[in-house]
Amino acid sequence: MKLAHLAAIALLLPAAALADSSPSIGDDKASAFKGTQKVAIAEFGVEFYTQIHAEGRQGGAAAMVTTELQSVSDADFQAITDQAYADTLAALKSAGIEVLDPATVNANADYQKLAEKYGAPSPYTFTDSSIVKDKPMVSKIFAPAGMKAFHSTSTGRGNFSQRTDSQNQGRGSKEGELAKSLGATLLHVHYLVGFGLPSASKNNALWGGSTARAGIAMGNTLFAEDTEWQFVTDAGMRTFTNSKRPRHTGALYLAKPFVAEKNIFAVQDTTGSAEKKSDGVMNAMGGLLGGFGQKTKLSDATPESAEAYRQNLGQLIATSATAFAQALGAAK
């Protein structure tokens, strides 16, 4: 990849997203956790992007970049998820928070009803075409062995049903009753990870330029907002709130992307002749319109090895788990 292209991508990304040694934790009424001594992990998932797409538009110009992850198997994803669960449990214990035995949670009839209605077999493939127009972001949600996968986004990804269910206040009310019966606050843990961070220029009619940009800054990344620890106390859902998480009593979340210090990925261009031919036509049209037409780039991202991927991403999640648990411990 040319240095000029890398520089263009860097300009599209917040500087803080490119290099951070520790996660930045945001607070969405974590104070509601006060008085909690015990939690029940009712939902736990690590969501892995397997295809990332960035799309920028400006005037008559468009730029689209799509990259697929290679050489990482479901077994690798599952191993990372199981380790993330163990690291989360250890972080909670270090923060002085007791975790209810999962067997007690699984045996509860009310929990079983909620898991049956909202859970899915792990892994759960999630295709999110709501973010972009031409290609979707594709991910897989993995739960620890023996648990169900849940779609629990708080940022509006997915179809109408998924967006509604993820923050349904009626569901939150039932979870409040479950928390009361278990004598523990329900904890919903979700890590959204990718092998790169997409960015793109936004169409601005007030700006006279006609150059569109899109890029993916490579490196394992925990995404902001959707990497979150949400919780439901016996108080249940929130009312009269502007929060994006009304189903939950409170939450902690990543305030900005948390990126691994080392990029372990090699990128290979896979753009085909069909895309290049289409770009040629669009560029001719763009010239007539005073723009730069459409640029399409496809590529594969391959880590140094599956083991390197597991270690690199595992450390990123473990560091975040410690930060989340410490913030939650401080709130209690």
Side-chain angles (χ1 to χ4, degrees), residues 212-236:
R213 293 187 176 89
I216 300 171
M218 300 306 301
N220 276 323
T221 303
L222 286 174
F223 279 59
E225 296 287 345
D226 274 321
T227 296
E228 55 195 347
W229 285 23
Q230 303 175 104
F231 61 87
V232 181
T233 70
D234 57 13

Side-chain angles (χ1 to χ4, degrees), residues 284-310:
M285 292 177 62
L288 295 174
L289 296 171
F292 292 94
Q294 176 175 318
K295 292 290 184 181
T296 303
K297 184 172 183 179
L298 307 178
S299 60
D300 288 340
T302 305
E304 295 170 0
S305 67
E307 177 62 23
Y309 177 82
R310 291 194 300 269

Side-chain angles (χ1 to χ4, degrees), residues 60-110:
M64 288 167 280
V65 179
T66 306
T67 304
E68 291 189 57
L69 179 64
Q70 303 294 327
S71 301
V72 182
S73 68
D74 281 2
D76 295 313
F77 292 142
Q78 188 64 60
I80 292 169
T81 301
D82 291 339
Q83 186 59 53
Y85 184 63
D87 290 338
T88 298
L89 291 176
L92 285 166
K93 182 178 179 180
S94 295
I97 300 171
E98 182 182 352
V99 180
L100 194 66
D101 187 336
T104 301
V105 181
N106 292 333
N108 185 284
D110 291 332

